[in-house]
Amino acid sequence: MRISELSRTGGVPVATVKYYLRTGLLHEGRRTSATQAQYDETHATRLRLIRALIGVGGLSIAATRAVLDQLDDPPESMHELLGMAHDRLKPADQEDVDTAAAEALVREMGWQIDGADPASLHRLAEALAAIDAADFTLPPGRLRDYADVMQALADLEVGDVPTESRDAAVHYVVLGTILAEPLLLALRRLAQINASSRRFAAGAREPRRRRSVTS
Amino acid sequence: MRISELSRTGGVPVATVKYYLRTGLLHEGRRTSATQAQYDETHATRLRLIRALIGVGGLSIAATRAVLDQLDDPPESMHELLGMAHDRLKPADQEDVDTAAAEALVREMGWQIDGADPASLHRLAEALAAIDAADFTLPPGRLRDYADVMQALADLEVGDVPTESRDAAVHYVVLGTILAEPLLLALRRLAQINASSRRFAAGAREPRRRRSVTS
């Protein structure tokens, strides 16, 4: 297909497709003349992936390239895969942060991390530090609740990683990590609305319903 | 205290404190001369909060101002509080997205949303669309797993909202929403490493341990 059709298929302006070609996110098409090239299904698939990573994943062009590189050339060891994926998705900041509380939680949970994912440990430490800095106090046991819930989720998720091919595993891990994050956060917010509605609006709802019956 | 001490207390350069004063994020101090002002504990507290919102919350200056406005002037109704908080934290994009799948999930979960949080419904729809667009298939039942887990979490969280004062409730809801998000995502990633380590590295770990015994 021509670039105009690729643009339509991917739902992306031609100028954007050209930008992805120039920056190497999208591989070159097959030249048919000095000014034209033909593109195929591999381009359309890659274009959809780029859109998902940049759009909802919220990744920068550089981070998107890192993810695509990883998909194109996955690491040898399945065990190191996740840590590498996490680190490439969001490298640890250089800023110093005390990781003692984060490490204590990891120990309390009995998690085997073994330095495999410094970026995520750093993010956990930052999140805990920000809660402190904002004078926000989590209810007793809440941090442990959060960790328990995420452990249950992670066990499910990692249990589903396909093992028949390294490519399939990397694809699953990298996309599953990125794409499920906005999903989980949106679900949490909607579930909070539901819980809030049940807790705080029940009183207001009941009388209204009764009135409508008698009116 | 002088601005230099406020700067030290808050761990923020004087220039940044001045910027927060200029943009109105931080309230003016008490003028003691044409060029000097005195600041108190309310300034230090607010400064820590601003740092947490911008730093880990990842909020823009404008979003930070919206959150602070909400803390300063909370809405009347407890029930509408969360939806308003979510909307101010990240207003829905204007881009069109099909919310049918998101609404179907909300119905399946039996969640009472009633249009209270269009921003989060929109984010859920976007997250689902991105998963489709990336040709990523969630395992059967996984979406429901995610929703179940987030519902359990939200029930705990909303159950803890303090009701003795509206201010306390707003403070809790707004900060709890923002500050727990990076916490949850970091915990998920570390829990994935742990699960991956148990699933994929167990074989590699055992022989090594045995060797060390016999060597």
Side-chain angles (χ1 to χ4, degrees):
Chain A
M1 67 186 97
R2 294 213 183 155
I3 195 166
S4 55
E5 195 186 336
L6 178 61
S7 150
R8 264 198 309 280
T9 311
V12 167
V14 169
T16 305
V17 175
K18 286 185 176 167
Y19 176 69
Y20 293 159
L21 286 166
R22 263 202 320 278
T23 52
L25 289 186
L26 194 61
H27 46 297
E28 292 291 330
R30 187 173 49 80
R31 288 249 155 254
T32 52
S33 79
T35 57
Q36 293 206 328
Q38 281 289 318
Y39 302 90
D40 58 29
E41 200 41 52
T42 65
H43 294 89
T45 303
R46 172 63 61 119
L47 191 54
R48 279 196 297 274
L49 183 55
I50 295 170
R51 280 197 62 197
L53 294 175
I54 294 178
V56 163
L59 267 58
S60 65
I61 295 284
T64 302
R65 188 201 308 272
V67 169
L68 295 175
D69 285 351
Q70 198 160 44
L71 293 179
D72 293 339
D73 183 18
E76 285 295 329
S77 146
M78 205 67 143
H79 175 45
E80 297 303 320
L81 173 61
L82 266 166
M84 286 185 55
H86 292 172
D87 194 56
R88 295 238 196 135
L89 292 181
K90 184 165 193 285
D93 295 342
Q94 294 310 309
E95 220 180 306
D96 260 359
V97 59
D98 182 1
T99 56
E103 283 166 21
L105 179 60
V106 165
R107 264 197 311 278
E108 185 191 330
M109 295 300 296
W111 286 349
Q112 297 177 8
I113 308 294
D114 300 332
D117 191 2
S120 297
L121 192 71
H122 194 272
R123 288 177 82 187
L124 176 58
E126 279 187 331
L128 293 172
I131 288 172
D132 272 352
D135 291 326
F136 185 72
T137 309
L138 288 170
R142 178 54 34 86
L143 191 55
R144 180 62 194 249
D145 292 337
Y146 283 156
D148 284 339
V149 162
M150 288 300 131
Q151 179 177 318
L153 212 55
D155 286 347
L156 284 177
E157 290 174 315
V158 170
D160 282 327
V161 172
T163 50
E164 71 274 12
S165 91
R166 211 182 48 176
D167 281 12
V170 174
H171 201 259
Y172 186 90
V173 162
V174 172
L175 292 186
T177 296
I178 299 173
L179 295 174
E181 292 192 343
L183 180 63
L184 284 166
L185 296 185
L187 285 171
R188 171 170 173 255
R189 291 191 173 195
L190 289 170
Q192 285 177 340
I193 296 287
N194 170 62
S196 161
S197 156
R198 287 178 197 276
R199 178 168 177 204
F200 297 116
R205 186 173 301 264
E206 274 306 295
R208 212 178 292 144
R209 211 175 276 152
R210 262 182 242 121
R211 263 201 299 279
S212 76
V213 169
T214 54
S215 67
Chain B
M1 67 187 97
R2 294 212 183 155
I3 195 165
S4 55
E5 195 186 336
L6 178 62
S7 149
R8 265 197 309 279
T9 311
V12 167
V14 169
T16 306
V17 175
K18 286 185 176 168
Y19 175 69
Y20 292 159
L21 286 166
R22 264 202 319 279
T23 52
L25 289 186
L26 195 60
H27 46 297
E28 292 290 330
R30 188 173 47 80
R31 289 248 156 254
T32 51
S33 79
T35 57
Q36 293 205 330
Q38 281 288 318
Y39 302 90
D40 58 28
E41 201 40 52
T42 65
H43 294 90
T45 303
R46 172 63 61 119
L47 191 54
R48 279 197 296 275
L49 182 55
I50 295 170
R51 279 197 63 198
L53 294 176
I54 294 178
V56 163
L59 267 59
S60 66
I61 294 284
T64 302
R65 188 201 307 273
V67 169
L68 295 175
D69 285 350
Q70 198 159 45
L71 293 179
D72 293 338
D73 183 20
E76 285 295 329
S77 146
M78 205 69 143
H79 175 46
E80 297 303 320
L81 173 62
L82 265 166
M84 286 185 55
H86 292 172
D87 195 55
R88 295 237 196 137
L89 292 181
K90 184 164 193 284
D93 296 342
Q94 294 311 310
E95 221 180 304
D96 260 359
V97 59
D98 182 0
T99 56
E103 283 165 21
L105 179 60
V106 165
R107 264 197 311 278
E108 185 191 330
M109 295 301 295
W111 286 348
Q112 296 177 9
I113 308 294
D114 301 332
D117 191 3
S120 297
L121 191 71
H122 194 271
R123 288 176 83 188
L124 176 59
E126 279 187 332
L128 293 172
I131 288 172
D132 272 353
D135 291 327
F136 186 71
T137 309
L138 288 170
R142 178 53 34 86
L143 192 55
R144 180 62 194 249
D145 293 336
Y146 283 157
D148 284 339
V149 162
M150 288 299 131
Q151 179 177 319
L153 212 55
D155 286 347
L156 284 177
E157 291 174 316
V158 170
D160 282 327
V161 172
T163 50
E164 71 274 12
S165 92
R166 211 182 47 176
D167 280 12
V170 174
H171 201 259
Y172 186 90
V173 162
V174 172
L175 292 186
T177 296
I178 299 173
L179 295 175
E181 291 192 343
L183 180 64
L184 284 167
L185 296 185
L187 285 170
R188 171 170 173 256
R189 290 191 174 196
L190 289 170
Q192 285 178 340
I193 296 287
N194 170 62
S196 160
S197 156
R198 286 178 197 277
R199 177 167 177 206
F200 297 117
R205 187 173 301 263
E206 273 306 295
R208 212 177 294 144
R209 210 175 277 151
R210 261 182 243 122
R211 263 200 301 278
S212 77
V213 168
T214 54
S215 67

